[in-house]
Amino acid sequence: MTEHARTSVSGTEVLDAIVIGAGFAGMYQLYRLRDGLGLKVQGLEAGGGVGGTWYWNRYPGARCDTESHAYWYTFTTDLMKEWQWSERYPGHVEIVRYLNFVADKLDIKRCFRFNTRVVGATYDAAANVWRVRTDNGDELSATYLVTAVGCLSTANVPKIPGLESFKGKWFHTGQWPHEGVDFTGKRVAQIGTGSTGIQSAPVIAETAAHLTVFQRTANYSVPASNAPLSDSFREYVKNNAELIRQNMRASANGQPFFNSDRLALETPEEDRQALYEVAWRRGGLQFRGTFQDLLANKAANDTAAEFIKNKIRAIVKDPKTAELLADIDHPYAAKRPPIDSGYFETFNRDNVSLVDVRNNPIEAITPDGIRLRDGTEHKLDIIVFATGFDAMTGPLLRLNIRGRDGLELAKVWEGGPRNYLGLQVAGFPNLFTVTGPGSPSVLCNMPVCIEQHVEFIADAIAHMRKNGLKTMETTEAEMEKWVAEVNRAANATLLPQATHSWYLGANVPGKPRVFMPYAGGMQNYRKICENVAANNYQGFVLSA
Ligand SMILES: Cc1cc2nc3c(=O)[nH]c(=O)nc-3n(C[C@H](O)[C@H](O)[C@H](O)COP(=O)(O)OP(=O)(O)OC[C@H]3O[C@@H](n4cnc5c(N)ncnc54)[C@H](O)[C@@H]3O)c2cc1C
Ligand SMILES: NC(=O)c1ccc[n+]([C@@H]2O[C@H](COP(=O)([O-])OP(=O)(O)OC[C@H]3O[C@@H](n4cnc5c(N)ncnc54)[C@H](OP(=O)(O)O)[C@@H]3O)[C@@H](O)[C@H]2O)c1
């Protein structure tokens, strides 16, 4: 690799590529373009360091739901052998440490500008470059623009009247202060019972004087059964890195385990219960794979749903609270299924209460707390918004991207995201998105789909350069076909039945209701992309 190819560049010089984001995706993309292709690449990152999700989400209890031996880069088994995880599910501190370890190992930090948010990107057709503007007032230009801005990086703080009048403190879990928050002796509200809220409530409850959880939609959860990893398991991982990598790449969800091929409805009741019981005790996301038909057949799904609801009723001592927690209105795993460390048990504590804001919504935030529609006021010192993200399209639309002839991405996506393979939008040449809507992304263990996209993009750019091609761009017709395929894949599952899911954009008022990730399975998606590449990037127009 040449020295100039490794140097961070600024000013009016035209770079080969700009990569936005320094999470799993941006780090690997920058490395792949710089060291794999020898390009001049500049990375831009809003945060003060690498880590992406894990740089921002430092809330109490923030921990991965993917098991540690599957939540890392696998593009080289060397990295897998050099790093050792300490627990079955790594916590946020350990993941940030891991990503810093990788960044140092690959020597990529010096190619990123941190504390730099991209606020605009415009395609200049005459020069065939992307002009990228930052919140520092800088403009950078590059031939290729890769957005690696994450699917879950735009915090969603609901617009509840009166928030600005609140005399206490409030925080969103996805923008958690790095110095931490002291809950000791405080009256704390947590709004939200998604994966985040289910992780944070048990930890907040340990020190708060009182924690009130405001629940709009009751949620399933299965025990994580987290534990320190044994030396023998760590040894197994080191010795079987290649096998683990292959299994992850071959599975539908990018996990190192495979879903069972048994059907819930063809399994006798007693055996079915026994299998659920084993899966419950083993813990983790594998519960979803107990039977093959859980996400395809509502009656099959009901058996899992009922099993978990019965567990909730058995764990939670107060019958009213138990009923509220078990009053779940969507199929199991139709929303991202959380896993927990003592979530339902938390409601047995004297200092924890549950408030139903489905039937009695939050009306306002007052100087002293939260007021519900029926006039009840909860006096508070701290409000924690575990209210999720403007997922998938949010971070991309905030880049204010304009393509050919000033075409705005926001305009093209007015009715919901449209693209080809989740990678490209017609009218935006040489713009690539890592894990964009329309790709398996959030339905997959993300490092697996990130690596696949990063490698596809790097290979496509290598192909262009080798063949003297200047632009790569998809077409309206290809987008239309792909959007139809994304809808078909979603409708073959129970996923769209969770009508309040962020997969559908339903958590953000006014957002178009479109099922965003590709539900056809990661292993199938990988094959589709391989065929596209093998057929001279079918569906993309390559121009000299
Ligand atoms: C709390 C939490 C837990 C999760 N747990 C799991 C899990 O167990 N398993 C799993 O597979 N996935 C999990 N995810 C999903 C997680 O987002 C991915 O696993 C992965 O970290 C995504 O990496 P990324 O690089 O694509 O995006 P991110 O990690 O989100 O990185 C994107 C980066 O882009 C930056 N950025 C965004 N916009 C701009 C801009 N305009 N200018 C400059 N920089 C910008 C952001 O600051 C961010 O650092 C979790 C997500 C959350 C929120
Ligand atoms: N360890 C992990 O793997 C992990 C941990 C955390 C997050 N994640 C990822 O991040 C995704 C997002 O998780 P998340 O929990 O942060 O967000 P989320 O799943 O969108 O959950 C947000 C919660 O806030 C509630 N809410 C939102 N606005 C509200 C309002 N105005 N009033 C009352 N309640 C409101 C939602 O209720 P409704 O359901 O009614 O909208 C929901 O309970 C996950 O699905 C997962 O992909 C992963």
Side-chain angles (χ1 to χ4, degrees), residues 493-505:
T493 71
L494 302 178
L495 291 165
Q497 292 191 19
T499 50
H500 34 53
S501 159
W502 62 258
Y503 292 155
L504 279 160

Side-chain angles (χ1 to χ4, degrees), residues 114-358:
F114 295 105
N115 301 306
T116 303
R117 183 171 288 280
V118 172
V119 294
T122 302
Y123 179 64
D124 176 342
N128 186 31
V129 293
W130 280 94
R131 310 246 183 242
V132 173
R133 297 178 302 286
T134 76
D135 60 352
N136 300 328
D138 296 334
E139 183 176 290
L140 292 85
S141 304
T143 308
Y144 315 105
L145 176 60
V146 184
T147 63
V149 290
C151 298
L152 299 161
S153 60
T154 301
N156 169 42
V157 180
K159 292 186 176 60
I160 303 174
L163 179 58
E164 66 296 339
S165 73
F166 183 53
K167 287 192 295 199
K169 292 189 171 149
W170 66 268
F171 307 93
H172 186 282
T173 50
Q175 295 172 334
W176 202 255
H178 285 194
E179 64 279 14
V181 177
D182 185 4
F183 294 105
T184 317
K186 306 286 190 212
R187 296 162 302 173
V188 183
Q190 176 183 295
I191 305 176
T193 53
S195 299
T196 297
I198 279 175
Q199 286 188 327
S200 55
V203 186
I204 295 174
E206 281 170 17
T207 52
H210 193 89
L211 170 66
T212 309
V213 176
F214 291 79
Q215 172 185 283
R216 188 164 69 183
T217 304
N219 214 339
Y220 300 96
S221 185
V222 167
S225 301
N226 189 31
L229 291 179
S230 64
D231 288 344
S232 61
F233 186 77
R234 300 206 299 195
E235 204 51 31
Y236 162 81
V237 171
K238 204 178 248 189
N239 295 335
N240 292 279
E242 181 53 32
L243 177 68
I244 292 168
R245 180 180 118 97
Q246 280 174 20
N247 285 346
M248 285 162 66
R249 289 187 169 214
S251 86
N253 300 107
Q255 296 287 359
F257 54 82
F258 291 91
N259 295 342
S260 164
D261 51 13
R262 277 184 301 254
L263 298 175
L265 293 184
E266 290 183 4
T267 305
E269 170 67 8
E270 201 176 317
D271 297 353
R272 198 162 58 206
Q273 291 302 316
L275 287 164
Y276 281 137
E277 196 60 53
V278 169
W280 180 268
R281 263 186 264 121
R282 186 179 54 220
L285 293 173
Q286 285 191 53
F287 189 90
R288 183 177 44 179
T290 312
F291 296 104
Q292 195 208 92
D293 46 351
L294 292 188
L295 263 181
N297 181 314
K298 177 70 168 57
N301 192 287
D302 286 345
T303 66
E306 211 37 51
F307 177 88
I308 299 175
K309 289 176 185 180
N310 284 334
K311 285 288 182 193
I312 298 171
R313 293 179 189 115
I315 294 169
V316 180
K317 294 192 180 125
D318 173 52
K320 266 196 181 154
T321 307
E323 227 18 76
L324 199 49
L325 288 165
D327 185 17
I328 310 174
D329 64 357
H330 53 279
Y332 166 66
K335 291 177 105 166
R336 162 67 152 69
I339 61 174
D340 69 276
S341 298
Y343 176 65
F344 296 115
E345 291 81 350
T346 295
F347 293 94
N348 292 334
R349 294 178 67 116
D350 292 338
N351 70 333
V352 176
S353 45
L354 182 69
V355 169
D356 171 19
V357 294
R358 162 63 49 87

Side-chain angles (χ1 to χ4, degrees), residues 20-25 44-46 52-54 56-57 59 64-66 71 116-118 148-150 152-153 336 389 399 444-447 450:
I20 312 172
F24 263 98
L44 301 171
E45 165 58 53
T53 288
W54 306 100
W56 298 104
N57 287 265
Y59 58 84
C64 205
D65 282 358
T66 300
Y71 197 70
T116 303
R117 183 171 288 280
V118 172
V149 290
L152 299 161
S153 60
R336 162 67 152 69
F389 303 88
L399 295 172
C444 177
N445 173 32
M446 291 211 68
I450 286 170

